[in-house]
Amino acid sequence: MGLPPEIILEAVLNGLLTGAVYGLVALGLTLVYGVLHIINFAHGALLTMAMYAAYVAWASLGVDPYVAALPLAALFFGIGYLVQRLVIGPASRGKDENILLVTLGLSIIIENLMLAVFRSDTRSIDVPYAMDVIEAGPTLLSYPRVIGFVATIAVGVALYVLMRFTMTGKAIRAVAKERTGAALVGIDVAHVYAVTFGIGTACLAIAAAMLLPSFYVSPRVGNAFVLVAFTIVVLGGMGSVVGALVGGLVIGVVESLSGLFLGESLGQIGIFLIFILVLLVRPTGLFGARA
Amino acid sequence: MLEIRGLEAGYGLATVLRGVDLTVPSGRIVAVLGANGAGKTTLNMTISGLVRARAGTITFEGRRIDGLAPPAIAEAGLVHVPEGRKVFPNLSVRDNLELGAYRRARGTRARNMERVFDTFPRLKERIRQGAGTLSGGEQQMLAIGRGMMAEPRLLILDEPSLGLSPLLVEEMFALIRRLHAGGLAIMLVEQNVAQSLDIADDAHVLENGTFAIGGTAAQVRADPHLQRAYLGL
Ligand SMILES: Nc1ncnc2c1ncn2[C@@H]1O[C@H](COP(=O)(O)OP(=O)(O)OP(=O)(O)O)[C@@H](O)[C@H]1O
Ligand SMILES: [Mg+2]
């Protein structure tokens, strides 16, 4: 290919930056899978909801999405906690196949709610920095993507500290692998499930705030990201937090490069080739434990 | 200390416990014996709140605990070291022990951890090791150590010697004696009938979902039915 190296370098860097936010979406999915052992089919709808929340914060209250990120994370932690505690947990009665249906139903309800409130038109916000770039050597990096990358790293570090060094994090990890033992030392398993779900949803809120300056919002927008997030989770290894972040970066680069070489509209093909390849060659993913 | 009356429990359509009565007086070792599948583990799980009692009452230190959730029961000081260890394989030895004090005795955690390490020096050598990579015997030590971290008032041990070498089994029984000498009440579920009867004050034999034989360890040992069925005499 006759592309100059700077262009390729720039595509790789921008891929890494975008991929980080994909990783953030995948993080919530993989965390919930790792601890609750369920695939949350409402993940995309919750992301959509978070993007609308960030949109409303901007459009009605004039709050910049980057400023809104932390308050939204707190709000969506609460929403996630309550959804798991009051809806998914009780409705599933401990049966995983019920959970699948419950989260699927939940996603339909949320999507239709968004459709009723916001109609089906796409919306976007107009922040002054949307098109800003940061010069990094010979390449130009999009400012919103750099912010998204930094936010993802910050969330990753915060999660690492939480999981390694706090009693709450240790309790979450204990419940993930040994529910009975956890209950016997006095860990409230239902509470830990809800906290985990809440953390996953809070990750979505931050991702939403990072995506909003450069992406449109529509009632089904979350699904596109979650499809990519599924690929990332499979690539990184189901339940692996590090895998989600690294997988996100890989997928971001793959998307960016295949966009560069195959054309913008085919950018996602590379992602699904990876998906199939991983399933064939290494079904446990890069960081996944064997069954 | 622990009073069980008319306890019934089971899974789905199957009833496992059909009217169990049991008393564990404070400071005593009570052995619970019975064939495989008799319902000993089910009894422990029901006491701990993991299996729901369908009928009957469980009273711990004067307070009804049947119907309480496991965390509340653990908080009351009724600590259960389950069959199969159930340590947290993805956490280090230290984190496993710390979580033992999740609901109780957080203030005295450091001191209790030293106590556990005095009892099990092997665990101290492996403090950073993932519990999942410990040997079976080490995992059993960790499970008991995790239980001790909660400063139990009553300790339920479900087959603590399962899978241990004969030497370690001896050590395990010596440890149970030591814990008991410190004033701890223990409910001991064991396959090693003879050894259990040696250290227990009282013993009960579970058969068909109820306690068929019960009394002091000496009385139970002298029971001809038990001698035939469990001691091979
Ligand atoms: N989760 C479960 N679901 C359905 N049945 C169960 C469950 N756990 C145990 N059982 C059944 O309940 C009965 C009693 O089992 P339990 O584990 O209490 O026996 P046990 O006395 O502890 O046996 P062992 O000495 O082998 O440990 C058995 O018939 C067993 O198959
Ligand atoms: Mg058993």
Side-chain angles (χ1 to χ4, degrees), chain B residues 124-181:
Chain B
K124 187 165 193 176
E125 292 162 21
R126 288 159 199 282
I127 186 162
R128 282 172 210 291
Q129 192 172 329
T133 62
L134 295 176
S135 78
E138 289 161 353
Q139 287 190 18
Q140 189 63 61
M141 294 174 198
L142 182 58
I144 294 177
R146 186 178 68 183
M148 286 165 62
M149 289 296 292
E151 297 182 359
R153 311 210 16 94
L154 168 66
L155 187 64
I156 299 181
L157 296 173
D158 196 334
E159 309 219 12
S161 71
L162 190 71
L164 301 188
S165 67
L167 199 67
L168 275 180
V169 172
E170 284 302 327
E171 271 185 41
M172 185 61 66
F173 278 98
L175 169 71
I176 294 169
R177 246 196 207 105
R178 281 210 304 284
L179 291 173
H180 174 236

Side-chain angles (χ1 to χ4, degrees), chain B residues 36-37 39-42 44 83 158-159 189 191:
Chain B
N36 291 122
K40 308 180 292 296
T41 298
T42 304
N44 294 343
E83 183 177 54
D158 196 334
E159 309 219 12
V189 171
Q191 299 284 350

Side-chain angles (χ1 to χ4, degrees), chain A residues 164 167-168 170-171 173-178 180-189 191-192, chain B residues 45 48 50 70-71 74 80 82 86-91 95 98-100 102-103 106 109 146:
Chain A
R164 285 278 140 190
M167 276 309 246
T168 304
K170 290 172 188 179
R173 285 159 64 213
V175 167
K177 290 283 189 260
E178 183 42 74
T180 306
L184 288 180
V185 299
I187 295 171
D188 182 342
V189 174
H191 171 72
V192 165
Chain B
M45 291 295 193
S48 298
L50 283 164
H80 175 177
K86 312 280 186 207
V87 296
F88 308 121
N90 52 336
L91 297 182
D95 287 345
E98 273 184 9
L99 283 176
Y102 186 83
R103 213 27 89 176
R106 271 206 201 187
R109 202 168 71 186
R146 186 178 68 183

